[in-house]
Amino acid sequence: MSWLALFLVLAQAPGITAEAPIVGGNVVSAKERAMADAFRQAVERSYGALLAEAGIPEPLPPGLVKLRDSFLTGARTFVRSWRLLDQTEEGGRVRVQVEVEVKEAELRKEIERGRAGTAVTAPVPSPRRPMSTSMSTSMSMPGSVMVTGSPPEAVLSVVRSLLATGLKTEAPPVGAVEEPRARELAVSVGATAAVLVSAAVTPEGQVRGTSKWSSSCRLGLRVIPLGGGLTMERVAESRAFAGDDEVANGECLGRVTAELVPHVIETLKPGLGAASYGRTVVLDLEMNEPAVLPIALQALRKVAAVSAVEVRRVTVGRVELRVATRLPAHALIPLLAREAGGALAIRATEAGPDRAALQVRMAGSAE
């Protein structure tokens, strides 16, 4: 691949766009959550198209509802390949544009199984708590919250937004409950706080003279820390327009949720403790040809002490990598060489704890 071809690949038309807030200053973790959301969007898009292809109407059979719900935490199962097209940081959030190829043949098989009422293979929340939806990662915030309320689509919107911050979230399907009952439920699932959701979504019909549909919505959140601290109540209202009323409803809920969730996190900070993310180091690679980059990325991702690698800057002959790891930068150099399996010749021109500059060549190539 030539340098021109590499730049053309990076400049292709945008794919799916997703974003996530930066928590604790950790950009790598925010990018991982944004990528997970992009995978979910891609799989849900293919899922909808395959349902239409099969002529399966609403309401969906329970097996297909279960399959759809599993995409929240298990969409990656159905992703064959992906390519990051763009990444930006603005307003404390990471936004990515990703081209995703979905394993539609496997997804079609799971749709048929779900239609028939058999189990699906996509990962679902832990069987230890069959009444809840939970998700956590090694880079998530400690503690968890329990979310309940009505309507279900509003609760799901809040759960998704909290998960996107890296916060473990439990959502027992009990609907709207009073505060004493919410506290009991939160204690029973080991949560450190309860979040009560109340919402109203009003479809306003098609906007005259356009192809757009309008929706207005109102979302109220009541946050109850269990270990002490002040209860927080906030309300947000918004309006959205989209190609049909269902999409407009979802976009409206997404807007008010995005407005309120940062206040939830701020309220819960004292009880959640500090996040533990490890360190981020920078590797500045000087390369003699583009083929070096995929080999180096693959090698770094094989290192057990590396949790994520992202490409931050590409210029002719040089690329900057940011690596989430437990190790200092200089300790990664021999591991990179080892995992490359002799395919790369590596020479360090600078090596410190947080940054290393490397000359990386294809093994056997001329200087």
Side-chain angles (χ1 to χ4, degrees):
M1 178 187 291
S2 67
W3 290 109
L4 176 59
L6 177 61
F7 287 128
L8 289 175
V9 167
L10 294 174
Q12 283 187 358
I16 291 174
T17 299
E19 60 180 45
I22 300 171
V23 180
N26 192 280
V27 176
V28 173
S29 178
K31 181 194 173 182
E32 289 179 342
R33 296 192 302 274
M35 293 292 292
D37 187 54
F39 296 152
R40 175 192 59 78
Q41 291 184 51
V43 174
E44 286 184 350
R45 182 182 300 177
S46 293
Y47 177 77
L50 292 174
L51 289 183
E53 175 187 294
I56 302 174
E58 296 278 358
L60 297 177
L64 291 182
V65 172
K66 183 179 179 182
L67 175 60
R68 182 185 60 195
D69 291 346
S70 75
F71 300 153
L72 183 61
T73 57
R76 187 68 178 84
T77 302
F78 296 108
V79 173
R80 184 182 309 281
S81 63
W82 58 271
R83 178 168 51 185
L84 180 64
L85 302 176
D86 189 32
Q87 176 180 333
T88 57
E89 298 172 30
E90 186 177 354
R93 303 180 72 83
V94 170
R95 175 174 294 180
V96 298
Q97 290 178 331
V98 191
E99 183 181 272
V100 183
E101 181 186 0
V102 176
K103 300 176 184 176
E104 292 200 346
E106 293 185 19
L107 185 56
R108 185 179 284 107
K109 290 179 182 178
E110 293 301 334
I111 288 174
E112 291 303 316
R113 295 178 63 183
R115 191 178 190 179
T118 56
V120 298
T121 60
V124 295
S126 170
R128 291 175 297 173
R129 288 181 181 151
M131 290 289 288
S132 68
T133 299
S134 63
M135 172 179 166
S136 63
T137 71
S138 60
M139 300 179 71
S140 66
M141 298 169 65
S144 66
V145 297
M146 188 276 298
V147 182
T148 188
S150 66
E153 56 268 27
V155 174
L156 181 59
S157 180
V158 173
V159 168
R160 283 176 170 169
S161 292
L162 290 174
L163 287 171
T165 71
L167 180 62
K168 184 178 178 182
T169 305
E170 309 284 347
V174 295
V177 296
E178 297 296 325
E179 181 174 328
R181 177 58 176 154
R183 288 179 176 273
E184 292 177 5
L185 288 169
V187 171
S188 71
V189 297
T192 57
V195 178
L196 304 187
V197 178
S198 60
V201 182
T202 306
E204 298 176 331
Q206 191 168 10
V207 180
R208 181 176 297 179
T210 74
S211 60
K212 299 293 186 180
W213 294 72
S214 174
S215 176
S216 62
C217 59
R218 181 180 186 274
L219 175 66
L221 297 182
R222 179 175 174 82
V223 182
I224 309 166
L226 299 188
L230 297 177
T231 296
M232 184 274 285
E233 282 192 80
R234 284 186 178 266
V235 176
E237 298 181 355
S238 188
R239 176 172 278 105
F241 303 89
D244 62 59
D245 55 352
E246 184 175 348
V247 174
N249 292 346
E251 289 188 0
C252 192
L253 279 174
R255 290 180 182 180
V256 289
T257 303
E259 181 178 340
L260 294 183
V261 161
H263 298 291
V264 175
I265 297 299
E266 189 65 29
T267 300
L268 296 177
K269 269 184 180 177
L272 292 174
S276 176
Y277 296 111
R279 67 194 305 160
T280 299
V281 303
V282 175
L283 299 182
D284 186 2
L285 274 55
E286 180 190 334
M287 307 178 297
N288 65 338
E289 56 181 284
V292 166
L293 180 55
I295 297 173
L297 289 173
Q298 185 178 24
L300 283 169
R301 287 168 179 151
K302 290 180 181 178
V303 177
V306 170
S307 60
V309 183
E310 62 175 320
V311 179
R312 292 303 304 273
R313 189 177 297 113
V314 178
T315 58
V316 175
R318 190 175 295 274
V319 62
E320 180 183 287
L321 305 179
R322 289 199 178 182
V323 185
T325 177
R326 300 191 301 270
L327 300 176
H330 58 78
L332 286 175
I333 299 171
L335 298 179
L336 169 60
R338 183 192 70 190
E339 296 298 344
L344 301 177
I346 302 171
R347 184 170 72 89
T349 57
E350 174 192 341
D354 299 316
R355 185 180 187 91
L358 310 175
Q359 289 184 344
V360 187
R361 306 284 186 261
M362 297 295 296
S365 63
E367 287 293 329

